[in-house]
Amino acid sequence: MPKMRFMTIERHIIEGEKKHPGATGELSRLLSDLVLAFKVISLEVNKAGLVDILGFAGSENVHGEQVKKLDVYAHEMMFKAMDHGGHLCIMASEEEEDIIHIPSNYEIGKYVLLFDPLDGSSNIDANVSIGTIFSIYKRVSEDGHPGTQEDCLQQGLNQVVAGYVVYGSSTILVYTTGDGVHGFTLDPSIGEFILSHEDIRIPKKGKIYSINEGNYKYWHPGLKKYIKHLQEEDAESQRPYSSRYTGSMVADVHRTLLYGGIFMYPADSRSPKGKLRLMYECNPMAMIMEAAGGRASDGTKRIVEIEPTNLHERTPIFIGSEYDVKQVEEFMANEESLSWIDKL
Ligand code: AHG
Ligand code: MN
Ligand code: MN
């Protein structure tokens, strides 16, 4: 007999909310709406090779990057699934420059949703895993009115739920409300996400590092030394580490969460703030990683402590096993970091 309980994500969310006295069930209903969007996106991702959805949509997103059709589709699905539930007061998406208001004919709720509808979009044509990343906050502006930019620009510490979906060899949804990290695999035959990874804990130390090494020339000198250190031989500390990098943050962080190790997208002399977006990518992943016993830092401080000033701001990120993230922080602190940063 299988050891695990047969637990759908909807039931898991409801049971989780029941543990909090005074909970209204509103967050459960919001998450159920989101789950529907993920099922629809997953279906579309799986048939992407069969229909005319591959390739560039011909436009650029707000970061000046080419947008693929599936990004646009995923963004629209998220909006359509979430605009009329009555739980949100505002949304923001990596694919849209401004905050996204709830249409005036729908009820306005007390939650805020930020999302990267399709992460790893450069991998779509190659069938490499891609994903969706999201985070939910409580509004800080007055109830009953449309949400504001201030509702979206909150510290990661204020997230009430964070999660992601990987559309890979199977579709898996991982989420946390701060109290444990749980993974659910989509059973396509019944259309349900079933609990498959209960209470995920990241190993305290790993033996895999994940970074775009093509940018080596532009890195901080301490980071260069750190990567060289990982490549040296030392049986006791399980070096040399293995290197894995897909180009989809969601897939690289998911692997890091399960196997341990470290994923990095650092600042470099060409991109002084790194590449990844604080609000749509780094904060939700940081909340998940910390809830699983790991660490997420911008090199000097916790990602979730960053005070955001811009919806689309970027941050360097070092995320994964506690030991590994602390070690890269030390390497960078010991290596004339200030003068390097000042030169940028
Ligand atoms: P997105 O597809 O949402 O724009 O994100 C792509 C990101 C992230 O998923 C990945 O880790 C990173 O870009 C890869 O960047 P490089 O190609 O510079 O390594
Ligand atoms: Mn992304
Ligand atoms: Mn994206």
Side-chain angles (χ1 to χ4, degrees):
M1 283 291 282
K3 278 185 279 166
M4 271 186 180
R5 290 170 299 157
F6 191 80
M7 171 74 89
T8 63
I9 187 154
E10 265 92 358
R11 224 175 87 200
H12 193 267
I13 292 166
I14 290 168
E15 291 197 0
E17 200 163 20
K18 273 193 210 149
K19 287 187 204 153
H20 300 278
T24 59
E26 194 173 351
L27 195 56
S28 301
R29 291 193 291 276
L30 192 168
L31 286 168
S32 296
D33 291 349
L34 262 181
V35 167
L36 178 64
F38 300 145
K39 288 179 190 171
V40 175
I41 297 170
S42 178
L43 197 67
E44 199 65 22
V45 168
N46 287 333
K47 65 184 190 196
L50 301 171
V51 291
D52 183 28
I53 194 121
L54 294 177
F56 295 109
S59 55
E60 284 188 347
N61 71 12
V62 291
H63 310 287
E65 299 154 343
Q66 283 287 329
V67 173
K68 303 224 167 180
K69 285 183 183 173
L70 214 46
D71 299 52
V72 178
Y73 180 85
H75 170 86
E76 284 172 1
M77 277 312 118
M78 291 289 284
F79 176 74
K80 280 189 190 155
M82 302 310 296
D83 68 341
H84 59 283
H87 313 302
L88 296 177
C89 64
I90 197 85
M91 293 185 244
S93 160
E94 187 213 85
E95 293 297 334
E96 190 132 340
E97 179 108 42
D98 291 324
I99 50 176
I100 306 166
H101 287 287
I102 304 302
S104 55
N105 46 329
Y106 295 134
E107 220 177 295
I108 291 179
K110 62 177 185 214
Y111 290 101
V112 177
L113 174 67
L114 306 188
F115 57 94
D116 177 357
L118 221 286
D119 178 68
S121 42
S122 70
N123 280 323
I124 296 171
D125 291 355
N127 263 27
V128 176
S129 299
I130 49 181
T132 300
I133 310 172
F134 68 95
S135 66
I136 297 170
Y137 296 79
K138 265 201 183 137
R139 68 183 302 167
V140 289
S141 61
E142 205 185 328
D143 274 345
H145 296 274
T148 63
Q149 172 115 336
E150 195 198 351
D151 292 314
C152 297
L153 287 182
Q154 299 190 49
Q155 265 185 321
L157 283 172
N158 291 357
Q159 291 171 104
V160 290
V161 186
Y164 62 80
V165 184
V166 186
Y167 312 106
S169 46
S170 54
T171 294
I172 182 164
L173 190 164
V174 172
Y175 88 103
T176 186
T177 53
D179 175 24
V181 177
H182 309 287
F184 299 79
T185 302
L186 181 62
D187 181 335
S189 58
I190 54 170
E192 291 280 6
F193 280 98
I194 307 291
L195 182 61
S196 53
H197 298 67
E198 193 166 15
D199 199 13
I200 300 170
R201 304 293 299 170
I202 182 170
K204 284 287 165 209
K205 177 190 172 306
K207 45 185 180 181
I208 301 174
Y209 72 92
S210 187
I211 189 167
N212 183 345
E213 231 157 331
N215 295 328
Y216 182 88
K217 184 179 184 315
Y218 310 107
W219 288 348
H220 183 292
L223 181 60
K224 288 181 177 172
K225 281 203 173 164
Y226 172 67
I227 298 295
K228 286 294 163 215
H229 171 80
L230 296 182
Q231 294 168 348
E232 283 161 11
E233 200 177 346
D234 176 52
E236 203 191 324
S237 57
Q238 298 177 293
R239 288 179 290 146
Y241 276 31
S242 287
S243 162
R244 298 279 186 276
Y245 188 78
T246 66
S248 288
M249 181 203 204
V250 80
D252 285 319
V253 171
H254 182 59
R255 182 200 55 249
T256 305
L257 183 69
L258 296 182
Y259 298 172
I262 183 165
F263 169 83
M264 296 163 269
Y265 209 108
D268 66 38
S269 57
R270 291 191 304 183
S271 316
K273 294 274 282 173
K275 175 181 182 186
L276 300 179
R277 292 77 170 177
L278 174 63
M279 306 311 291
Y280 314 111
E281 294 167 322
C282 299
N283 266 335
M285 290 308 201
M287 180 182 185
I288 292 164
M289 200 54 87
E290 290 190 353
R295 186 173 174 88
S297 134
D298 69 355
T300 56
K301 62 178 174 309
R302 288 167 75 198
I303 292 284
V304 291
E305 286 176 352
I306 298 174
E307 283 286 357
T309 54
N310 180 307
L311 266 186
H312 295 286
E313 78 185 64
R314 299 166 195 264
T315 174
I317 184 165
F318 303 86
I319 183 167
S321 296
E322 190 183 350
Y323 173 92
D324 297 291
V325 175
K326 280 190 172 158
Q327 194 175 38
V328 71
E329 287 173 330
E330 280 163 24
F331 266 83
M332 291 197 298
N334 290 337
E335 196 65 32
E336 53 156 337
S337 58
L338 285 173
S339 56
W340 183 81
I341 293 286
D342 287 345
K343 278 186 216 144
L344 296 177

PDB file of all heavy atoms in Angstrom, residues 71 94-95 116-121 281, ligand 3:
ATOM      1  N   ASP A  71       4.110  33.050 -23.370  1.00  0.00           N
ATOM      2  CA  ASP A  71       4.169  34.026 -22.267  1.00  0.00           C
ATOM      3  C   ASP A  71       2.880  34.822 -22.226  1.00  0.00           C
ATOM      4  O   ASP A  71       2.289  35.053 -21.169  1.00  0.00           O
ATOM      5  CB  ASP A  71       5.267  35.079 -22.461  1.00  0.00           C
ATOM      6  CG  ASP A  71       6.650  34.524 -22.532  1.00  0.00           C
ATOM      7  OD1 ASP A  71       6.857  33.614 -23.335  1.00  0.00           O
ATOM      8  OD2 ASP A  71       7.492  35.003 -21.782  1.00  0.00           O
ATOM      9  N   GLU A  94       5.098  40.101 -14.532  1.00  0.00           N
ATOM     10  CA  GLU A  94       6.364  40.405 -15.203  1.00  0.00           C
ATOM     11  C   GLU A  94       6.117  40.880 -16.638  1.00  0.00           C
ATOM     12  O   GLU A  94       6.907  41.631 -17.186  1.00  0.00           O
ATOM     13  CB  GLU A  94       7.232  39.145 -15.211  1.00  0.00           C
ATOM     14  CG  GLU A  94       8.627  39.362 -15.714  1.00  0.00           C
ATOM     15  CD  GLU A  94       9.151  38.146 -16.448  1.00  0.00           C
ATOM     16  OE1 GLU A  94       8.893  38.005 -17.647  1.00  0.00           O
ATOM     17  OE2 GLU A  94       9.807  37.322 -15.793  1.00  0.00           O
ATOM     18  N   GLU A  95       5.019  40.451 -17.211  1.00  0.00           N
ATOM     19  CA  GLU A  95       4.745  40.770 -18.611  1.00  0.00           C
ATOM     20  C   GLU A  95       4.002  42.087 -18.808  1.00  0.00           C
ATOM     21  O   GLU A  95       3.625  42.414 -19.919  1.00  0.00           O
ATOM     22  CB  GLU A  95       3.942  39.639 -19.271  1.00  0.00           C
ATOM     23  CG  GLU A  95       4.707  38.345 -19.420  1.00  0.00           C
ATOM     24  CD  GLU A  95       5.936  38.459 -20.339  1.00  0.00           C
ATOM     25  OE1 GLU A  95       5.946  39.327 -21.228  1.00  0.00           O
ATOM     26  OE2 GLU A  95       6.880  37.683 -20.130  1.00  0.00           O
ATOM     27  N   ASP A 116       5.089  35.776 -12.305  1.00  0.00           N
ATOM     28  CA  ASP A 116       5.842  35.602 -13.555  1.00  0.00           C
ATOM     29  C   ASP A 116       5.095  34.491 -14.280  1.00  0.00           C
ATOM     30  O   ASP A 116       5.212  33.321 -13.921  1.00  0.00           O
ATOM     31  CB  ASP A 116       7.289  35.190 -13.244  1.00  0.00           C
ATOM     32  CG  ASP A 116       8.105  34.929 -14.507  1.00  0.00           C
ATOM     33  OD1 ASP A 116       7.545  35.007 -15.615  1.00  0.00           O
ATOM     34  OD2 ASP A 116       9.313  34.637 -14.366  1.00  0.00           O
ATOM     35  N   PRO A 117       4.289  34.843 -15.301  1.00  0.00           N
ATOM     36  CA  PRO A 117       3.397  33.833 -15.884  1.00  0.00           C
ATOM     37  C   PRO A 117       4.140  32.679 -16.537  1.00  0.00           C
ATOM     38  O   PRO A 117       3.712  31.537 -16.471  1.00  0.00           O
ATOM     39  CB  PRO A 117       2.593  34.616 -16.922  1.00  0.00           C
ATOM     40  CG  PRO A 117       3.320  35.892 -17.148  1.00  0.00           C
ATOM     41  CD  PRO A 117       4.123  36.170 -15.908  1.00  0.00           C
ATOM     42  N   LEU A 118       5.263  32.980 -17.173  1.00  0.00           N
ATOM     43  CA  LEU A 118       6.017  31.928 -17.870  1.00  0.00           C
ATOM     44  C   LEU A 118       7.496  32.203 -17.651  1.00  0.00           C
ATOM     45  O   LEU A 118       8.032  33.154 -18.217  1.00  0.00           O
ATOM     46  CB  LEU A 118       5.671  31.983 -19.366  1.00  0.00           C
ATOM     47  CG  LEU A 118       5.464  30.683 -20.123  1.00  0.00           C
ATOM     48  CD1 LEU A 118       6.778  29.973 -20.370  1.00  0.00           C
ATOM     49  CD2 LEU A 118       4.491  29.738 -19.393  1.00  0.00           C
ATOM     50  N   ASP A 119       8.093  31.406 -16.811  1.00  0.00           N
ATOM     51  CA  ASP A 119       9.526  31.565 -16.528  1.00  0.00           C
ATOM     52  C   ASP A 119      10.320  30.560 -17.350  1.00  0.00           C
ATOM     53  O   ASP A 119       9.935  29.400 -17.452  1.00  0.00           O
ATOM     54  CB  ASP A 119       9.781  31.338 -15.031  1.00  0.00           C
ATOM     55  CG  ASP A 119      11.248  31.444 -14.697  1.00  0.00           C
ATOM     56  OD1 ASP A 119      11.796  32.554 -14.794  1.00  0.00           O
ATOM     57  OD2 ASP A 119      11.854  30.404 -14.377  1.00  0.00           O
ATOM     58  N   GLY A 120      11.433  31.036 -17.900  1.00  0.00           N
ATOM     59  CA  GLY A 120      12.284  30.150 -18.717  1.00  0.00           C
ATOM     60  C   GLY A 120      11.842  30.128 -20.156  1.00  0.00           C
ATOM     61  O   GLY A 120      12.028  29.140 -20.866  1.00  0.00           O
ATOM     62  N   SER A 121      11.267  31.254 -20.612  1.00  0.00           N
ATOM     63  CA  SER A 121      10.617  31.245 -21.925  1.00  0.00           C
ATOM     64  C   SER A 121      11.582  30.964 -23.082  1.00  0.00           C
ATOM     65  O   SER A 121      11.154  30.486 -24.128  1.00  0.00           O
ATOM     66  CB  SER A 121       9.857  32.547 -22.155  1.00  0.00           C
ATOM     67  OG  SER A 121      10.616  33.630 -21.695  1.00  0.00           O
ATOM     68  N   GLU A 281      10.139  36.809  -9.159  1.00  0.00           N
ATOM     69  CA  GLU A 281      10.972  35.599  -9.176  1.00  0.00           C
ATOM     70  C   GLU A 281      11.673  35.378  -7.835  1.00  0.00           C
ATOM     71  O   GLU A 281      11.581  34.305  -7.237  1.00  0.00           O
ATOM     72  CB  GLU A 281      12.006  35.702 -10.315  1.00  0.00           C
ATOM     73  CG  GLU A 281      11.353  35.684 -11.693  1.00  0.00           C
ATOM     74  CD  GLU A 281      12.275  36.085 -12.841  1.00  0.00           C
ATOM     75  OE1 GLU A 281      13.103  37.003 -12.663  1.00  0.00           O
ATOM     76  OE2 GLU A 281      12.169  35.492 -13.926  1.00  0.00           O
TER      77      GLU A 281
HETATM   78 MN    MN B   3       8.610  35.321 -17.629  1.00  0.00          MN
END
